[in-house]
Amino acid sequence: MNNCLTIPEIAKICSMDRSTIYRWVSSGKIKSFCTPGGHKRIQPKDLQAFFNENNMPIQLEGVEKRKTKILIVDDDPGVQKYLGKILSGPLMEIDFASDGFEAGTKLFSFQPALMILDLFMPNMDGFEVCRYIKKNKETQKIKILVLTGEETEENKKRVMSLGADGFLPKSSTKEEILNFVEILL
């Protein structure tokens, strides 16, 4: 579980109706923030504070308290900077790799939940990176969003057949990228 909670997750924890939780969040009784896609998220510490203030005997034990990690793999520093800027937030940890080899070395130490991957890079291309990640039992659960300037149908079919979870052209808007990232996470 990511370190932030959704309204349905809180409803399940509390054994309550979603509409009740939504009212508490909307009224500000439970502190929340909005994702770039416009969805409400609640940090476990804020939810626990609400429980404590209202004498609700609910403990959030077992809720993992770590940031969602995203590895951006692109040989263009401008693309890295742009994606890092639009994806940064209090619950995100972003790291970068400039080619497939560097991405491979960071996979096990950084352990990203999502990789945003360019297809055409020096040394090892995105197709090979995707194939390696999805064939390896230790990394196959990592979501892969291909973001490429080479948006041909052939490239899309090839990388999707290798296990990529999504495909967007680099010409995509900030909102399109953020929405796709939110769907994958």
Side-chain angles (χ1 to χ4, degrees), residues 139-184:
T139 58
Q140 64 187 194
K141 290 185 180 179
I142 296 171
K143 300 290 185 185
I144 299 176
L145 172 59
V146 171
L147 189 66
T148 183
E150 301 292 328
E151 58 209 71
T152 67
E153 192 60 33
E154 179 183 325
N155 287 337
K156 181 178 181 177
K157 285 179 183 177
R158 182 175 170 204
V159 78
M160 296 301 282
S161 74
L162 294 171
D165 300 287
F167 185 93
L168 285 174
K170 282 189 178 175
S171 60
S172 297
T173 66
K174 171 184 170 181
E175 290 74 22
E176 290 169 328
I177 295 168
L178 292 174
N179 285 334
F180 216 117
V181 166
E182 189 170 333
I183 288 166
L184 291 178

Side-chain angles (χ1 to χ4, degrees), residues 5-8 10 18-34 39-42 47 50:
L5 300 166
T6 65
I7 289 174
I10 294 170
R18 289 181 188 187
S19 61
T20 301
I21 306 301
Y22 182 80
R23 280 194 304 277
W24 288 343
V25 169
S26 296
S27 69
K29 290 180 181 179
I30 299 176
K31 184 178 173 186
S32 67
F33 67 94
C34 224
H39 302 281
K40 296 284 189 181
R41 296 291 185 264
I42 298 89
L47 182 59
F50 171 79

Side-chain angles (χ1 to χ4, degrees), residues 3-131:
N3 64 330
C4 58
L5 300 166
T6 65
I7 289 174
E9 288 171 332
I10 294 170
K12 185 175 180 181
I13 290 169
C14 298
S15 298
M16 298 179 125
D17 189 72
R18 289 181 188 187
S19 61
T20 301
I21 306 301
Y22 182 80
R23 280 194 304 277
W24 288 343
V25 169
S26 296
S27 69
K29 290 180 181 179
I30 299 176
K31 184 178 173 186
S32 67
F33 67 94
C34 224
T35 66
H39 302 281
K40 296 284 189 181
R41 296 291 185 264
I42 298 89
Q43 292 189 39
K45 67 180 178 68
D46 295 327
L47 182 59
Q48 189 64 63
F50 171 79
F51 291 156
N52 296 343
E53 289 168 13
N54 292 282
N55 298 316
M56 297 173 73
I58 301 171
Q59 295 297 313
L60 292 177
E61 295 173 26
V63 175
E64 197 172 339
K65 296 180 179 179
R66 65 178 186 135
K67 293 184 176 189
T68 299
K69 295 180 179 183
I70 299 175
L71 180 60
I72 297 168
V73 185
D74 198 301
D75 60 327
D76 183 337
V79 171
Q80 288 184 1
K81 183 177 179 179
Y82 173 71
L83 291 174
K85 182 177 178 181
I86 68 168
L87 293 169
S88 65
L91 300 176
M92 297 292 190
E93 186 175 345
I94 311 293
D95 201 356
F96 305 92
S98 296
D99 63 38
F101 285 118
E102 187 180 0
T105 62
K106 290 190 175 190
L107 276 178
F108 295 99
S109 60
F110 186 61
Q111 298 181 338
L114 172 68
M115 177 183 287
I116 298 179
L117 181 64
D118 187 17
L119 288 180
F120 297 98
M121 300 174 290
N123 301 321
M124 179 187 251
D125 66 27
F127 298 104
E128 282 300 312
V129 172
C130 187
R131 180 185 351 262

